[in-house]
Amino acid sequence: MSRSVALHECRLAKLSSAAQCATVNVPEDRSKPDGRTLALFVAILPANTLSPDADPLFMLPGGPGQSAQAAVPVAVALAGVRRTRDIVLIDPRGTGKSAPLKCAALAPRDLFDELIDVDLAATAAQRCLAELRELRAPDDVDVSRYITPEIVADVDAVRAALGYQRINLWGGSYGTRVAQEFARRYPSRVRSMVLDGVAPPAMRTTLDVWPAREAALADVLAVCAGNADCKRAYPDLNATLEEIKTTLGASRRVRVADPRTGALREVSLGFDSVVAALHGLVYAPELASLIPPLLGRAQAGDFAPLLAAAMPLTSDLEQTMNLPLYFAVTCAEDAPRVTARDSSRLLATLRAPSLAARNLAACDGWPRPSLPADFYEPLNSAVPTLILSGGLDPATPPANGELVAKSLSNSRHVIAAGYGHIVSPQACAPRLIETFIDTAGFATLPQSCLDYLAASKRPPTFSSLLEASVLSRKFAR
């Protein structure tokens, strides 16, 4: 196949070398080929050889709603893949530079406000939908077309436009759903797959992440209870959380130092915001190890350290995430399968049930287009597939990987016991992935790396913020 689009040199944030970029035009609604078109942004990180292998690595970001920018750090870590193969990044329709969905109601806000007002995105989703529906030509967006099947078809359109016959796929988190659906629809075009932080086709993102996050937080608190120094400093962190809940309630005016400036601000802070910050921290085990002293400070009325620890995570999402696309996908694909009984049963088990309830209610009124009959079915495939799971992953735990592996006859599931969400850039995992993609098989996977990941442990739990500061400075030298 020949390439049908022109490439030009471009620069991507967090990438030191130049990339080659292009746009690929696709119909917004494939049942209306003469209707509105979308220009998809595509970036190629060229192979570092004059004779690259014919099958590149396509990287599919998570979210849903993340742009290709979120996958750049992983692409950088996979430098070994670029020795012989191109790496292709795509902004999915509706995010990044690919006709991003825009509405004032969900426009980026000040990071500090984002942290303390966690329910705004949920309530703003309804206003955003109204804004999108009021758009007129040429921006009359059909929100129902911003769903996984269309994103999958877009990936194949990019493949064809760039002149590739077969491709390798890397999917992270929601990107694993896209990868599995691509392999289902276009099996002959997939040479191998890497699924990192697996979302099974039947996963209900809007519901299933909440108990997984709760379990991860409970695990952190249990680790502290099992550590003599931590337990001495914080005898009962569950009781600490209950005390914070009683103190704050739904909302209370408190004075908090802005983590960026140190300036004191009087804000309305609720227990839901505390839980949301904690849920963010458990995605990264290094940050989760700070939770005991952060809760100790919050119990004493100082919430600034907790908000400061959570702010970098909010910043990363702000830069790579399109919230309207998140709602367009999850409200179309996940929310319709959540019954009132499901939600009431779940809410009864959560520390902050109103936090989950508002997010579930955010999908009211969003389009629910028809999906392929087998969309939620397990993928049955013999495509060589390397499955990676973080043992401490609070969103897509190892049980997800085990479930998906059952119907993938040529797969191997590797659990990195001491790591969290997205294992690929960690420790020796890039070497594991490079070896797998090189042969599209498991025979030469480095055993030392497999052993290391299996035996890896969570970072030590800190009994004070001073201890954390001292150790971080020690390792920085």
Side-chain angles (χ1 to χ4, degrees):
M1 293 178 65
S2 60
R3 186 163 290 168
S4 62
V5 293
L7 301 177
H8 62 274
E9 187 172 290
C10 61
R11 292 283 176 175
L12 304 179
K14 300 183 181 180
L15 183 67
S16 59
S17 58
Q20 296 291 315
C21 292
T23 57
V24 176
N25 292 318
V26 297
E28 182 183 61
D29 184 345
R30 286 182 163 80
S31 69
K32 302 175 182 177
D34 296 327
R36 184 171 183 254
T37 60
L38 308 177
L40 304 178
F41 173 79
V42 180
I44 301 176
L45 313 187
N48 294 315
T49 176
L50 295 176
S51 302
D53 291 332
D55 45 87
L57 176 64
F58 272 50
M59 303 196 69
L60 309 172
Q66 284 190 320
S67 68
Q69 188 60 52
V72 168
V74 182
V76 171
L78 298 180
V81 173
R82 284 189 69 189
R83 286 188 293 104
T84 59
R85 284 180 172 81
D86 296 340
I87 293 181
V88 179
L89 305 173
I90 307 170
D91 279 345
R93 60 167 60 197
T95 191
K97 299 177 183 177
S98 295
L101 295 177
K102 295 180 181 180
C103 58
L106 289 176
R109 295 186 290 159
D110 178 83
L111 293 177
F112 191 77
D113 294 337
E114 195 83 43
L115 282 169
I116 61 176
D117 190 8
V118 294
D119 65 328
L120 180 62
T123 57
Q126 306 296 315
R127 301 196 304 275
C128 176
L129 178 61
E131 287 183 53
L132 293 172
R133 283 175 167 167
E134 289 172 2
L135 291 173
R136 296 293 181 264
D139 298 318
D140 50 342
V141 174
D142 182 354
V143 184
S144 69
R145 295 298 93 202
Y146 291 77
I147 52 177
T148 300
E150 296 289 357
I151 292 171
V152 165
D154 290 344
V155 172
D156 194 58
V158 170
R159 175 205 60 79
L162 295 180
Y164 301 118
Q165 289 281 358
R166 286 208 305 168
I167 59 178
N168 303 280
L169 297 173
W170 178 93
S173 195
Y174 164 73
T176 66
R177 177 184 288 186
V178 179
Q180 290 170 85
E181 186 64 9
F182 187 94
R184 192 197 309 274
R185 304 301 162 198
Y186 308 104
S188 65
R189 296 169 191 169
V190 184
R191 176 177 174 270
S192 73
M193 288 194 296
V194 178
L195 305 178
D196 190 348
V198 187
M203 180 178 176
R204 300 165 298 178
T205 306
T206 51
L207 185 77
D208 297 340
V209 296
W210 296 102
R213 290 169 179 166
E214 286 283 343
L217 177 57
D219 196 32
V220 172
L221 304 188
V223 168
C224 179
N227 177 283
D229 290 338
C230 191
K231 184 174 178 61
R232 189 178 304 112
Y234 312 102
D236 190 343
L237 285 173
N238 285 295
T240 297
L241 269 173
E242 285 301 312
E243 183 179 330
I244 294 171
K245 181 177 182 178
T246 300
T247 300
L248 291 179
S251 182
R252 179 178 175 177
R253 299 295 291 180
V254 297
R255 299 186 77 192
V256 180
D258 188 315
R260 298 161 299 186
T261 65
L264 285 177
R265 293 178 56 179
E266 186 172 305
V267 300
S268 294
L269 186 68
F271 184 65
D272 283 1
S273 297
V274 171
V275 173
L278 294 172
H279 282 178
L281 294 177
V282 295
Y283 275 73
E286 297 81 4
L287 294 175
S289 66
L290 296 171
I291 285 177
L294 291 174
L295 286 179
R297 293 286 290 272
Q299 183 183 27
D302 182 8
F303 295 91
L306 173 61
L307 297 178
M311 185 168 281
L313 301 169
T314 304
S315 176
D316 285 345
L317 283 176
E318 195 78 24
Q319 294 173 21
T320 65
M321 190 78 164
N322 183 287
L323 282 176
L325 181 60
Y326 168 83
F327 287 113
V329 173
T330 58
C331 294
E333 300 173 10
D334 299 332
R337 293 176 296 130
V338 178
T339 67
R341 183 179 179 184
D342 290 335
S343 57
S344 62
R345 184 186 299 132
L346 167 77
L347 296 177
T349 68
L350 303 180
R351 295 178 189 273
S354 56
L355 183 64
R358 285 194 299 272
N359 279 273
L360 288 168
C363 282
D364 292 346
W366 280 74
R368 297 185 174 185
S370 60
L371 298 165
D374 58 351
F375 183 74
Y376 300 115
E377 296 298 319
L379 170 66
N380 289 287
S381 173
V383 169
T385 304
L386 176 63
I387 302 170
L388 299 174
S389 295
L392 306 177
D393 189 336
T396 51
N400 287 13
E402 291 296 323
L403 179 63
V404 167
K406 289 180 180 179
S407 59
L408 299 178
S409 60
N410 191 13
S411 66
R412 175 152 186 185
H413 185 200
V414 175
I415 301 174
Y419 291 90
H421 193 57
I422 305 301
V423 175
S424 294
Q426 306 293 340
C428 61
R431 183 160 56 97
L432 197 70
I433 294 169
E434 292 156 13
T435 305
F436 166 71
I437 293 176
D438 188 48
T439 62
F442 312 103
T444 59
L445 294 185
Q447 189 61 46
S448 59
C449 182
L450 295 169
D451 293 342
Y452 169 80
L453 293 175
S456 60
K457 300 183 183 302
R458 71 166 65 240
T461 299
F462 295 116
S463 57
S464 72
L465 293 178
L466 177 61
E467 177 188 10
S469 176
V470 169
L471 283 177
S472 65
R473 290 175 185 173
K474 175 183 177 181
F475 288 118
R477 288 200 294 266

